[in-house]
Amino acid sequence: MSTTYTVSVTRDGEWWMVAVRELDALTQARRLGDVDTAARELVLLETGTALDEVSIDMHVELTAGDGDLTARVADLRARRERIEAEEAAVRADTAAFARELAAARVPVRDIATLLGVQCGFGKAGG
């Protein structure tokens, strides 16, 4: 069973400061991608809990001047997720409609032209 620790991450110069709230302990990481490992290793050192039994709930706090950048990061991520979901839905709808058109004996190349997609056919080597 995994234990989850809450981690606050802030930028300090060239380092990410990693605070494990439940342990009142601090470490650092050079890259944001290294925070999870650094936090789990800190938990191991402080508690003896095996790395594979530790989960991290990471909260990155970013500020610049007077502005909070954390909300902007969250907004962009949410927007990107919505776009990716919409793209997946459009791909599925396009494939389903292409099958309908093919069943109606519309040539594949014409289906591709109608739907604005590539049909995957082409001359060998060119």
Side-chain angles (χ1 to χ4, degrees), residues 109-121:
R109 289 183 190 270
D110 292 337
I111 293 170
T113 299
L114 285 167
L115 300 179
V117 297
Q118 294 182 357
C119 64
F121 297 132

Side-chain angles (χ1 to χ4, degrees), residues 13 17 28 39-42 52 61-62 64 66 75-77 80 82 85 87 89-90 92 95 105 107 118-119:
M17 302 310 294
Q28 59 189 13
R40 291 185 322 114
E41 288 174 349
L42 180 60
D52 61 351
E61 300 164 13
L62 294 171
D66 294 334
D75 176 61
L76 287 170
R77 282 180 171 241
R80 194 174 307 111
R82 286 192 303 271
E87 285 176 344
V90 168
R105 302 183 57 125
Q118 294 182 357
C119 64

Side-chain angles (χ1 to χ4, degrees), residues 7-10 16 32 58-62 70:
V7 175
S8 295
V9 183
T10 56
W16 291 100
L32 196 55
M58 183 169 55
H59 300 273
V60 179
E61 300 164 13
L62 294 171
T70 306

Side-chain angles (χ1 to χ4, degrees), residues 18-33:
V18 182
V20 180
R21 294 178 186 171
E22 292 85 352
L23 303 177
D24 194 29
L26 185 67
T27 189
Q28 59 189 13
R30 182 65 90 171
R31 304 276 176 258
L32 196 55

Side-chain angles (χ1 to χ4, degrees), residues 29-87:
R30 182 65 90 171
R31 304 276 176 258
L32 196 55
D34 298 331
V35 167
D36 184 79
T37 300
R40 291 185 322 114
E41 288 174 349
L42 180 60
V43 171
L44 168 69
L45 290 172
E46 295 284 326
T47 67
T49 305
L51 291 177
D52 61 351
E53 295 178 8
V54 175
S55 295
I56 299 301
D57 180 19
M58 183 169 55
H59 300 273
V60 179
E61 300 164 13
L62 294 171
T63 57
D66 294 334
D68 177 12
L69 304 179
T70 306
R72 290 177 62 190
V73 169
D75 176 61
L76 287 170
R77 282 180 171 241
R79 288 169 55 194
R80 194 174 307 111
E81 288 173 7
R82 286 192 303 271
I83 289 168
E84 289 169 359
E86 180 65 18
E87 285 176 344

